[in-house]
Every structure is written in C-alpha cells, then in structure tokens.
Amino acid sequence: MNASPAAAQLLAEVKFDAQGLVTAVAQQHDTGEVLMVAWMNGEAVERSLATGEVHYWSRSRRRLWRKGETSGQVQRLVEFRLDCDGDTLLLLVDQHGVACHTGRRNCFFRAARDGALVEIAAPVVAPETLYGSHPRG
Amino acid sequence: MNASPAAAQLLAEVKFDAQGLVTAVAQQHDTGEVLMVAWMNGEAVERSLATGEVHYWSRSRRRLWRKGETSGQVQRLVEFRLDCDGDTLLLLVDQHGVACHTGRRNCFFRAARDGALVEIAAPVVAPETLYGSHPRG
C-alpha cells in the first residue's frame, strides 16, 4: 500500500488487531442513525480517506469492498473519528439508499421484546433489486 | 451460566466469535450519540438483560465488568438490538455522566482534519475523580 503522507499519519494512530483489522461503526451524519458495523484494514482506511467513499474489508470474502460497488448503496464519508483506545472507528457518513443487504435502512432491525427478538423495521427495497444474482456489496 | 429461558432464547440468536465475544455499540437512546464500543460475552448479555445495567467483557482484564462499577458512570439499558448477521449488538442506553475513561462524554473525540487527528471534545470531568487509583470501569 502506498498511503499518502497524510493517510500514513492517521493510520499510525489506528491499532489494528492481529488480523490487521479495526472495527468501524457507520453512523448517518445528520440523523445519528447507526447504520452498520463492519471491518476495515489499512487499505480500506486509506482508500476511504482518499476517495471519500467508504471501503471495508470483507472477512467472509477476504477482499477489499467499496460499499455499494454492486448495490449502488454507497456511503460518502463525512467524518472519520477514532476512539480513545485507537481500536474502533466511528464513520459519519451520508448513506445513499439503504445500508443493510436485507434492503433495510440499517442492519439493527431486531430488538429484544419480552425476552424474544422481534423485527422492528421492514425492508424498504427488495434485496433482489439491490444485488440480482451478485454477492452483496 | 444459568440464563433465564428468555435470555437463553435471545442468546441463541447471537453469533459469538471464536473467543465467545460479540461487538457491542452503546448509543445514547435519546440523542443518538455513539458513546463507546466494547465486547460482551454470553454472561455480559444475560446480566445486562436481567439487571437493566450494561455489563461488558474486558479483554485486557479478562473479566466481566459492570459499566460504572468503579466510576459510577453506569449505563441503563433501554433497548437491546441485534444486527442482520447476528454478530454485532446495538445497545440503546441511558448513560449516567460520561462514557469515556478519559472523562469525555464519548470515546470518539479524535477526528481527522486535513490529514491529522485533532481532539474535538474536552474532558468534562477529571479522570482522577472517576477512578482515583483504581483501574477504569
């Protein structure tokens, strides 16, 4: 990776884990809605900062992933924050469309009610519309 | 662990990692402020649901930890949510005082500005007031 000097300075502050990853929380910048949680490696951080579009590392597919690359549901990076321990990122983003691969606005649509999980949000778009036969992204 | 039947039903939906842990995002329920990110094991989930006070698993101290047990900065659990993959929790909480061990309201007080991290929030209480000579909690 050839990080820019500016990105290199930021990257040096991030404590990546043994797998080279850091947890990233994506929050809609204006409403405060927590959209999703995913993982980033150094390159994902660097590309997100350089392009202004959020990139993650897919642990299941073992590759870099630009959010929305298949679905069109991109995340524009508004602000990049790091926590006190340096091991978690908070990304303030502007989410185009829906963040969740199920077609829901955010991934946290199940909530505990009387000891059971219930769905508190319905899909706003059909997942097939987002992905067709492609893997999610 | 002797989880109640209700907690057992919820716990069965959570996908704990190889270390038996799950990522938990704590968000202030009324303002939407993301306060902190920490880890829970099954017992932390069960006790949080049973007592209404958020418990975490400390990876560094390798023990269960009731948020605020030393500092008094407790988190009352308002809502427990699970994401689409079952591997991340979103806890809507009512944070008493400050969430961060540095004395700041939340842990994400460093933000990227022109390629460098700058502090965007100051402590509102002195850490010594919270912990004295005790480890943080």
Side-chain angles (χ1 to χ4, degrees):
Chain A
M1 180 176 61
N2 295 307
S4 68
Q9 191 178 344
L10 284 176
L11 284 169
E13 300 289 327
V14 180
K15 294 205 183 85
F16 295 97
D17 69 11
Q19 285 74 50
L21 302 176
V22 64
T23 306
V25 179
Q27 181 181 33
Q28 176 65 28
H29 73 104
D30 48 2
T31 65
E33 181 182 8
V34 175
L35 299 167
M36 57 182 283
V37 172
W39 296 86
M40 298 176 101
N41 63 1
E43 191 175 0
V45 172
E46 199 270 324
R47 288 204 192 181
S48 300
L49 291 168
T51 67
E53 290 202 347
V54 180
H55 292 61
Y56 297 103
W57 175 258
S58 168
R59 293 183 300 174
S60 57
R61 290 177 280 152
R62 301 194 60 75
R63 71 170 183 86
L64 198 73
W65 153 56
R66 181 174 62 82
K67 176 68 179 169
E69 64 185 16
T70 305
S71 66
Q73 313 297 288
V74 298
Q75 286 181 345
R76 184 171 63 82
L77 183 62
V78 175
E79 178 148 299
F80 178 97
R81 293 186 186 164
L82 182 64
D83 80 344
C84 52
D85 293 327
D87 64 359
T88 308
L89 304 174
L90 178 63
L91 309 173
L92 302 188
V93 304
D94 192 17
Q95 172 71 54
H96 177 81
V98 299
C100 187
H101 76 287
T102 65
R104 291 171 176 87
R105 175 74 186 168
N106 75 67
C107 296
F108 297 94
F109 57 84
R110 296 187 285 172
R113 295 278 192 277
D114 300 321
L117 286 173
V118 300
E119 293 196 1
I120 57 170
V124 292
V125 293
E128 310 84 73
T129 313
L130 296 175
Y131 302 105
S133 58
H134 298 288
R136 76 199 215 196
Chain B
M1 180 175 63
N2 296 307
S4 68
Q9 191 178 343
L10 285 176
L11 284 169
E13 301 289 327
V14 180
K15 295 207 182 83
F16 295 97
D17 70 11
Q19 284 73 49
L21 302 177
V22 64
T23 306
V25 179
Q27 182 181 32
Q28 176 65 28
H29 73 103
D30 47 3
T31 65
E33 181 182 9
V34 175
L35 298 167
M36 58 181 283
V37 171
W39 296 86
M40 299 177 99
N41 64 0
E43 190 174 1
V45 172
E46 200 269 325
R47 287 204 193 182
S48 299
L49 291 167
T51 66
E53 292 202 346
V54 180
H55 292 61
Y56 296 104
W57 175 258
S58 168
R59 293 183 300 175
S60 56
R61 290 178 281 151
R62 302 194 59 76
R63 71 169 184 85
L64 199 72
W65 154 55
R66 181 174 63 80
K67 176 70 179 167
E69 64 186 16
T70 305
S71 66
Q73 313 297 288
V74 298
Q75 286 181 345
R76 184 172 64 81
L77 182 63
V78 175
E79 178 147 300
F80 177 97
R81 293 186 186 164
L82 182 64
D83 81 345
C84 52
D85 293 327
D87 64 359
T88 308
L89 305 174
L90 178 62
L91 310 173
L92 302 187
V93 305
D94 192 18
Q95 173 70 55
H96 177 80
V98 298
C100 186
H101 76 287
T102 65
R104 291 171 177 86
R105 175 71 186 170
N106 74 67
C107 296
F108 298 94
F109 57 85
R110 295 187 286 171
R113 294 277 191 276
D114 300 322
L117 286 174
V118 299
E119 294 197 1
I120 57 170
V124 292
V125 293
E128 310 83 75
T129 313
L130 297 174
Y131 302 104
S133 58
H134 299 289
R136 75 199 214 196

